[in-house]
Amino acid sequence: MPAPLSLPGVLLIFIIIFHVEALKPHLLGRRSVRTSSSQQRNLFYKTFYFDQQIDHFGFLENGTFKQRYLVNDQHWHKAQGPILFYTGNEGDITWFCNNTGFMWDIAEELGAMLVFAEHRYYGESMPFGNESYSYLNYLTSEQALADFAVLIKSLKKTLPRAQNSPVIAIGGSYGGMLAAWLRMKYPNVVIGALASSAPIWQFTDLVPCGDFYKIVTQDFANSGINCSKNIRRSWTAINNLFSTAEGLQWLSKEFGLCSPLKEEDLFNFKGWLQETWSNLAMVDYPYEANFLQPLPRWPIKVVCMHLQFDTDVPDKQLLHGISQAVRVYYNYTGSAVCLNVSETATGSLGIMGWFYQSCTEMVMPQCTDGVQDMFEPMAWNFQAYSDECYALFGVRPREDWADTVYGGKNISSHSNIIFSNGGLDPWRSGGVTESLSDSLIAILIPEGSHHLDLRFNNEYDPQSVLLTRKLEVMYFKKWIKQNTSAQ
Amino acid sequence: MPAPLSLPGVLLIFIIIFHVEALKPHLLGRRSVRTSSSQQRNLFYKTFYFDQQIDHFGFLENGTFKQRYLVNDQHWHKAQGPILFYTGNEGDITWFCNNTGFMWDIAEELGAMLVFAEHRYYGESMPFGNESYSYLNYLTSEQALADFAVLIKSLKKTLPRAQNSPVIAIGGSYGGMLAAWLRMKYPNVVIGALASSAPIWQFTDLVPCGDFYKIVTQDFANSGINCSKNIRRSWTAINNLFSTAEGLQWLSKEFGLCSPLKEEDLFNFKGWLQETWSNLAMVDYPYEANFLQPLPRWPIKVVCMHLQFDTDVPDKQLLHGISQAVRVYYNYTGSAVCLNVSETATGSLGIMGWFYQSCTEMVMPQCTDGVQDMFEPMAWNFQAYSDECYALFGVRPREDWADTVYGGKNISSHSNIIFSNGGLDPWRSGGVTESLSDSLIAILIPEGSHHLDLRFNNEYDPQSVLLTRKLEVMYFKKWIKQNTSAQ
């Protein structure tokens, strides 16, 4: 899930505007796939394009677009092996394909075909080509779920000997929400789902809006002495430095910024830092990785090494530490010439599309109080949020819709869904962290960050994630067996 | 369900065109509620209008319309009594309210509030007022289900002490399909559903397309000697008479038609008769009733009294019998001045809207072979159907969509749905007639026609429907109890 979502209320919107203005020309170009350790494994897949309805829920628009999907069937046991179907989220599907090593690791054991389906309006799956951002009306999770359902039905019909292959949906983050919802809404199409780090309850009135940033804060508090305390102190220090021309100049230089800060950049600058800390909490993996950015192992520990001084050091000393800490995220490889406060490195995520989704269905309230978290207090203000969305896209978010259409807390009648969450992952705040029945299973990975279980096995993996993956495979086998005996 | 649906393939389309051309100016005016025995019971309800989203699945159209719903709470036990929620079908909701006596009969026993919600694009619930038929794009079952879900959530939130009232969806025919689908898609909103005479499987490749007319034929075959045989013979006799001017004149007079028949009316005339027989099979109730038309008790028996002669009588004698038989349906009260072959009396159903739905999602293949049924052979021809829909509305039906979105035969993971079907009802052909699990219950009412169980108790009711209603109430109570103990 892109980080802008993790900013509270009105601030979020400022960042959105900033992003949209700043990133508009670069968005499409940012979708290139980066080299990462997982990619070095040389994953082989074939790329296909499916003629997908632009509008599943209306018939006057009868056009189709090319939905991209990737297939690997080298381990598939025809006629009986399952299909593991990744429900693509808000970005280029090749990126998720390369960052979902779990599926590649278990394909042989399960005799499974792997399919990675791209979400409409991201990557190459653009309903109106280069004009797609001008016609965003068909960008909804319901349309995306219908895409997945129609694609799966078609694959099972057209692939030789796939008719009886049970399909399991797998996804992480927003893709995990989609995996869970696909099982809820189309249980005829998938026999079960693994929803990893899927904050399906991060909607209005379902969970406290402050939990996300509380978890971010805990991650920093637990990673070094005074770490979260010094970050909490930094906002006032920044305010102080922003109040003089000399301070602005010093800050710009200290942070090695590409463009010098101006007085009016205060919100953006603090928002950029807040987003950086939140992103770090999401990707606090136990080994060197490159999900959003190339990072060292346990990156927050490395960040906090720069922030372990006393909590009464002068502003400039404090912010020197902050600038060193920020570079862990933005310049671990040492290749950054300067830092750009309008970019927070969100990998191959499609920011523009996600902004629109956040402004329509995916209203995920966030707030901070500065006490239980290390950020400046910011209440959740739906009206301001809605007004900004209207100014940006001409749409108003529907605050209650996700709860109505996806069941909110009332989902116990569904079945065969695993909800895995990482103890370190701030998105755990909106996740299902307690089992709801004997087939709606919650698994907590205490040392895990954002969908760690979906990544390749790694020598540094904590025992908890290794066991989680085993448990997940066990449930897959159970569902497959149930399905076979029901046929 | 309006009868045009029950015509096979291309013939159906001719009738559609005929209807559309003929009925366009009258459609809105036909929605008045007729006096019926059930209405004479003086049902009291309040009428409300809910501001409903025009488009639940897109955000650029953010307008709302007034959805009508009717409420009776005279027996409601606040804070604990259930809400019985009728999922309105393709017609004026007051008509369904008056024809769903079952809900009125059981309200007191259950301490229930009754809500009857109108389906968008029918009755008074027109998204674009008088212009609604020019903007049919938002007329889909998915939008209707979302309307129901949003309305229920709002009622529970705003009605005093309704927060914990469990809601049970109830519907008949297409309304029954909606009730079942509401439970499948929004189990968070309704704890269970009674889907009476709901042909949720009457879609492509799910059931044999000929079953509908086989059942119609059985009803006539079982209601009088030579009855179905003589109807089967009538088509050739009609062809013969249509081949001469004298024959046409004789037919027009014999049937007391408002407009004399012309040579080109052959298809329409036969289609009108076929629809009449099908409608009779739907409303073959054991007592005098007025659902589609005022009719005697067991109307097919009365019809067949006119068709009990030998199967070798001359054409004119045969068609005299047919004309007498037809009058049972169109002129039981004796008030018809002449018969109109462009009208088949579909009560308060909204024909235009249903045509559009049949031309988009509700593709329900029908066919005849003239051997196992009493009609002229007519194969199902999807392409011709699609072409006619395109000519009519500029839309193409999506043959596989209903199967994908509503699960087809693969619905066993759902729960708490009763599927009741009448043994005499031709729509049983697409119904769930065997239980799929211990909470997906099928009940067959051998002597029942179309959703007989939803009607008021009547002294002539067969034992089977009385027991069915008792069973339905028993399941309602079970669901309510389950829900209470889960809270």
Side-chain angles (χ1 to χ4, degrees), chain B residues 384-406:
Chain B
Y385 185 93
S386 174
D387 291 345
E388 295 292 346
C389 285
Y390 191 74
L392 262 177
F393 295 110
V395 296
R396 297 235 172 238
R398 295 178 192 156
E399 202 177 7
D400 299 327
W401 174 240
D403 180 33
T404 300
V405 72
Y406 295 124

Side-chain angles (χ1 to χ4, degrees), chain A residues 37 48 127 131 185 211 230 260 313 417 433:
Chain A
S37 58
F48 297 93
E131 302 292 305
K185 294 295 185 181
D211 282 0
N230 278 319
V313 300
I417 306 176
T433 53

Side-chain angles (χ1 to χ4, degrees), chain B residues 23-38:
Chain B
L23 296 185
K24 232 173 191 168
H26 316 297
L27 264 176
L28 288 166
R30 293 180 71 222
R31 276 189 272 102
S32 61
V33 181
R34 295 162 190 222
T35 308
S36 73
S37 57
S38 60

Side-chain angles (χ1 to χ4, degrees), chain A residues 126-304:
Chain A
M126 303 306 269
F128 303 98
N130 290 340
E131 302 292 305
S132 295
Y133 290 146
S134 305
Y135 303 96
L136 286 161
N137 198 46
Y138 305 107
L139 172 51
T140 66
S141 57
E142 290 87 352
Q143 298 276 10
L145 293 174
D147 289 343
F148 297 146
V150 169
L151 173 59
I152 291 170
K153 294 273 283 185
S154 169
L155 289 176
K156 290 188 67 170
K157 205 170 175 177
T158 56
L159 286 176
R161 304 179 66 195
Q163 294 90 322
N164 296 319
S165 287
V167 182
I168 293 171
I170 298 178
S173 192
Y174 170 53
M177 298 161 81
L178 292 170
W181 294 339
L182 189 63
R183 171 63 189 169
M184 293 182 195
K185 294 295 185 181
Y186 298 88
N188 51 315
V189 170
V190 294
I191 63 165
L194 167 56
S196 174
S197 297
I200 61 165
W201 288 343
Q202 193 70 45
F203 295 105
T204 304
D205 295 338
L206 295 182
V207 293
C209 61
D211 282 0
F212 181 95
Y213 285 108
K214 267 202 246 179
I215 299 169
V216 174
T217 303
Q218 284 158 14
D219 290 351
F220 283 80
N222 295 334
S223 297
I225 292 165
N226 289 340
C227 190
S228 64
K229 287 182 186 161
N230 278 319
I231 292 176
R232 187 184 287 113
R233 283 188 61 227
S234 70
W235 313 112
T236 307
I238 291 167
N239 290 345
N240 293 341
L241 283 162
F242 259 78
S243 68
T244 70
E246 185 274 333
L248 279 171
Q249 207 177 358
W250 182 88
L251 266 180
S252 305
K253 197 171 161 210
E254 176 60 37
F255 279 79
L257 300 182
C258 305
S259 314
L261 291 169
K262 299 191 212 81
E263 220 175 310
E264 61 268 29
D265 294 334
L266 181 61
F267 273 119
N268 288 334
F269 184 71
K270 291 193 289 193
W272 175 71
L273 288 175
Q274 183 162 348
E275 200 175 328
T276 305
W277 308 139
S278 306
N279 283 357
L280 274 161
M282 279 194 265
V283 295
D284 195 24
Y285 295 128
Y287 48 83
E288 213 175 46
N290 177 4
F291 185 59
L292 299 175
Q293 284 280 82
L295 290 173
R297 62 182 299 228
W298 295 122
I300 295 185
K301 280 209 178 92
V302 182
V303 161
C304 286

Side-chain angles (χ1 to χ4, degrees), chain A residues 431-449:
Chain A
V432 179
T433 53
E434 286 180 32
S435 296
L436 301 172
S437 72
D438 60 4
S439 80
L440 295 177
I441 310 294
I443 306 178
L444 188 74
I445 308 160
E447 302 90 351
S449 194

Side-chain angles (χ1 to χ4, degrees), chain B residues 84-158:
Chain B
L84 303 183
F85 186 93
Y86 190 90
T87 49
N89 14 352
E90 69 285 21
D92 187 298
I93 192 62
T94 61
W95 187 57
F96 295 104
C97 174
N98 285 309
N99 277 285
T100 311
F102 174 61
M103 287 170 61
W104 297 90
D105 279 341
I106 65 173
E108 188 169 0
E109 178 181 353
L110 292 173
M113 180 194 299
L114 307 183
V115 178
F116 297 85
E118 194 158 63
H119 191 296
R120 54 169 59 205
Y121 285 91
Y122 297 99
E124 294 184 1
S125 300
M126 303 308 268
F128 303 98
N130 290 340
E131 302 292 305
S132 295
Y133 291 145
S134 305
Y135 303 96
L136 285 161
N137 197 47
Y138 305 107
L139 172 50
T140 65
S141 57
E142 290 87 351
Q143 298 276 9
L145 293 175
D147 289 343
F148 297 146
V150 168
L151 173 58
I152 291 170
K153 294 273 283 186
S154 169
L155 289 177
K156 291 187 67 169
K157 206 170 174 177
T158 55

